[in-house]
């Protein structure tokens, strides 16, 4: 059966962050889809239900390799549960690592004061690229056209998106799981993953490196998703 790579972007950004890798996979003969999660925070919580629904709607009836970037990693167990036995592998790409079971939030407690300081009176945050100094954004997204494209599709998320509890169903990691590591600050996650016995591959770069080196990232995804 054909396998489809389902490339899940962080809800803080948009689907163009995975588009070059999807194109690279397709050039090599692999099917790839990038679900659009930019509307998942519209309406009342829990927002995770709309994350799962958006991915399910975009996913064909093939076997699936799930690839999650950044804080999309926290939703991967629920997405896997929503897709059922179609999922044959999960790859965390410079992504947050959920526990084996329980509850988790999209932001650590130590990061919440920073987010609260950014939120407006309506409790809505600026776009993700507006959280950081311009020079930091330019370093991550050096191409001006790419920077405009990524910035333009970002949603403005409510603070509650980062404080809502996200369930983590037990047994989600019963398929091949692996970690694609770009660089800091995910060093600690790479160590945790190695402690779980998962394969780890590093493609050195910054947090949106899949936009900078889509071919190298595609090589790594193909390697990590294989059983041998």
């Amino acid at each position: 059966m054909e396998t489809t790579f389902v490339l899940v972007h962080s809800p803080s950004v948009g689907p163009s962050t995975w588009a070059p890798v999807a194109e690279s996979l397709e050039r090599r003969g692999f099917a790839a889809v990038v679900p659009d999660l930019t509307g998942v925070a519209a309406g009342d919580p829990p927002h995770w239900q709309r994350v799962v629904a958006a991915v399910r709607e975009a996913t064909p009836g093939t076997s699936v390799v799930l690839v999650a970037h950044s804080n999309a990693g926290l939703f991967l167990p629920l997405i896997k549960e929503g897709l059922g036995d179609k999922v044959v592998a999960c790859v965390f790409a410079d992504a947050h690592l959920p526990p084996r079971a329980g509850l988790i939030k999209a932001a650590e407690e130590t990061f919440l004061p920073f987010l609260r300081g950014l939120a407006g009176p309506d409790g809505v945050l600026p776009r993700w690229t507006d959280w950081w100094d311009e020079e930091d954004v330019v370093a991550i997204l050096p191409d001006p056209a790419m920077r405009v494209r990524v910035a333009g599709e970002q949603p403005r998320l409510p603070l509650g998106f980062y404080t809502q509890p996200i369930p983590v169903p037990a047994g989600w990691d019963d398929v091949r799981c692996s970690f694609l590591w770009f660089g800091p600050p995910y060093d600690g996650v790479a160590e945790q993953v190695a402690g779980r016995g998962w394969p780890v591959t590093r493609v050195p770069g910054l947090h949106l490196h899949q936009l900078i080196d889509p071919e190298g990232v595609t090589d790594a995804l193909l390697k990590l998703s294989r059983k041998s």
Side-chain angles (χ1 to χ4, degrees), residues 5 31 67 72 86 92-93 105 116 123 126 132 150 164 194 197 213 223:
F5 283 79
V67 184
K86 293 193 296 185
F92 291 77
K105 295 179 181 178
R116 291 190 179 103
W132 318 109
V150 170
Q164 66 174 319
D213 181 18
K223 174 185 174 182

Side-chain angles (χ1 to χ4, degrees), residues 13-75:
V13 288
S16 71
T17 54
W18 272 125
V21 171
E23 292 166 2
S24 175
L25 284 163
E26 289 167 352
R27 283 194 298 271
R28 302 183 194 204
F30 296 91
V33 296
V34 184
D36 187 344
L37 305 185
T38 54
V40 298
D44 296 329
H47 302 119
W48 62 261
Q49 294 176 340
R50 287 189 285 276
V51 172
V52 174
V55 176
R56 287 182 65 178
E57 184 177 348
T59 300
T62 65
S63 60
V64 165
V65 173
L66 273 178
V67 184
H69 177 245
S70 193
N71 66 9
L74 301 177
F75 298 93

